[in-house]
Amino acid sequence: MSAAGRVAVVSGGSRGLGRLLVERLLGDGWKVATFSRKPSEFTEQTAAERPEDFLWAPVDLGDRAGLRAYAAAATRRFGRIDLLVNNAAVLTDQELFLTVPDGRLDALIAQNLAAPIALTQACAKVMSVRRSGQIVNVSSINAIRGYRGVAVYSAAKAGLDGFSRSLARELGPLNIRVNSVIPGFFDSGMTAGVTAENRERIRRRTPLGRLAGIEEIADTVLFVISSGASFITGQTIVVDGGITC
Ligand SMILES: NC(=O)c1ccc[n+]([C@@H]2O[C@H](COP(=O)([O-])OP(=O)(O)OC[C@H]3O[C@@H](n4cnc5c(N)ncnc54)[C@H](OP(=O)(O)O)[C@@H]3O)[C@@H](O)[C@H]2O)c1
């Protein structure tokens, strides 16, 4: 679809995959609203250089009212929402399930599942007025394969995939497509703590014999929202070099 005048909301656009998506969408002519807890050099510079096209505000995924207020602010600023990418997520340390404290368990589910669901509801209401839109939920291969130390995060991401499928049925008649993109490992702040040994293990187990470039994950998201994917909805699109095949 032509991006001119279209508006994207991307959660977690200050760095990592979210930042790259913001850059690419702006480059393609979208207006982009994004949030994170803290600004980055990228968000500050882009807000200064592209004030007509770019909105950043501090919002925490754990703040449900803040998420709804942010969707309302983006709509006031740009007049519409055509695309939501639920990109922001939290995974700091791997921890064994038997020792995950109760509060942390709640936070992981709140930030990685309840927050994107609430943000989607707020944005989809805006999309429904025009009977057109797209939602992309950034999931993880942890949703489709078991890995030690990430059980609660995995549950949240698997929940997000189920959410994508059922929502696609509900919103399809409103011409709103909903899909999950499921990345394998890529370099970002989230994976900065992965040891060289573990990176090498992932590389060896990957049929394509290398790790993903972050731009390959962004390419997949951009494909899913493109006219070339106009009949794809309710799907989980895996981009992992084949490690889960
Ligand atoms: N990296 C991987 O190997 C990998 C693999 C599979 C799936 N994924 C998924 O890909 C997506 C992007 O991950 P990434 O690796 O690019 O992550 P990242 O580099 O850690 O960036 C995360 C972004 O989300 C924001 N964020 C984090 N916690 C937040 C909170 N509580 N409230 C609001 N914003 C918050 C961060 O900004 P602040 O910290 O300032 O809030 C940042 O902008 C995530 O959904 C992740 O689960 C990543």
Side-chain angles (χ1 to χ4, degrees):
M1 68 183 178
S2 157
R6 306 251 175 181
V7 177
V9 173
V10 178
S11 66
S14 62
R15 54 192 166 82
L17 178 62
R19 171 193 167 152
L20 184 55
L21 287 171
V22 170
E23 288 180 300
R24 300 272 297 264
L25 289 165
L26 284 170
D28 287 347
W30 292 76
K31 295 181 186 303
V32 181
T34 192
F35 65 86
S36 47
R37 287 166 299 184
K38 288 167 286 166
S40 63
E41 206 179 309
F42 168 69
T43 58
E44 287 178 336
Q45 192 177 332
T46 310
E49 288 173 359
R50 309 272 307 258
E52 301 300 313
D53 305 325
F54 181 73
L55 171 70
W56 177 87
V59 183
D60 192 314
L61 287 170
D63 174 7
R64 201 77 52 80
L67 291 171
R68 293 188 189 282
Y70 183 76
T75 308
R76 274 197 307 278
R77 171 75 173 272
F78 294 129
R80 55 196 279 178
I81 296 174
D82 302 281
L83 167 66
L84 166 65
V85 183
N86 276 311
N87 163 76
V90 184
L91 177 65
T92 40
D93 297 313
Q94 300 203 340
E95 48 196 343
L96 292 180
F97 179 66
L98 295 183
T99 58
V100 179
D102 206 36
R104 177 146 172 76
L105 196 153
D106 283 344
L108 279 167
I109 297 294
Q111 292 165 331
N112 294 320
L113 181 59
I117 289 174
L119 184 62
T120 298
Q121 191 183 47
C123 292
K125 281 180 182 169
V126 180
M127 293 175 190
S128 70
V129 174
R130 291 181 164 269
R131 297 182 74 85
S132 159
Q134 305 216 42
I135 296 155
V136 179
N137 292 316
V138 180
S139 177
S140 166
I141 56 170
N142 293 308
I144 55 173
R145 288 290 183 279
Y147 295 92
R148 283 169 63 85
V150 289
V152 184
Y153 172 80
S154 302
K157 291 296 194 180
L160 207 51
D161 293 347
F163 174 63
S164 293
R165 280 187 288 271
S166 289
L167 196 63
R169 288 211 171 262
E170 237 179 271
L171 299 186
L174 293 171
N175 192 30
I176 298 172
R177 295 196 291 119
V178 188
N179 290 290
S180 279
V181 166
I182 302 192
F185 177 95
F186 61 90
D187 276 317
S188 72
M190 185 178 276
T191 52
V194 175
T195 62
E197 189 190 1
N198 281 337
R199 290 166 55 88
E200 175 55 18
R201 187 177 305 150
I202 296 166
R203 189 198 65 73
R204 259 191 283 112
R205 288 181 183 168
T206 301
L208 290 182
R210 60 179 178 81
L211 301 180
I214 192 169
E215 64 286 347
E216 294 178 296
I217 314 298
D219 283 344
T220 306
V221 174
L222 295 176
F223 165 68
V224 166
I225 66 165
S226 73
S227 58
S230 56
F231 206 52
I232 297 178
T233 194
Q235 302 305 311
T236 49
I237 292 109
V238 182
V239 48
D240 69 350
I243 199 167
T244 58
C245 71

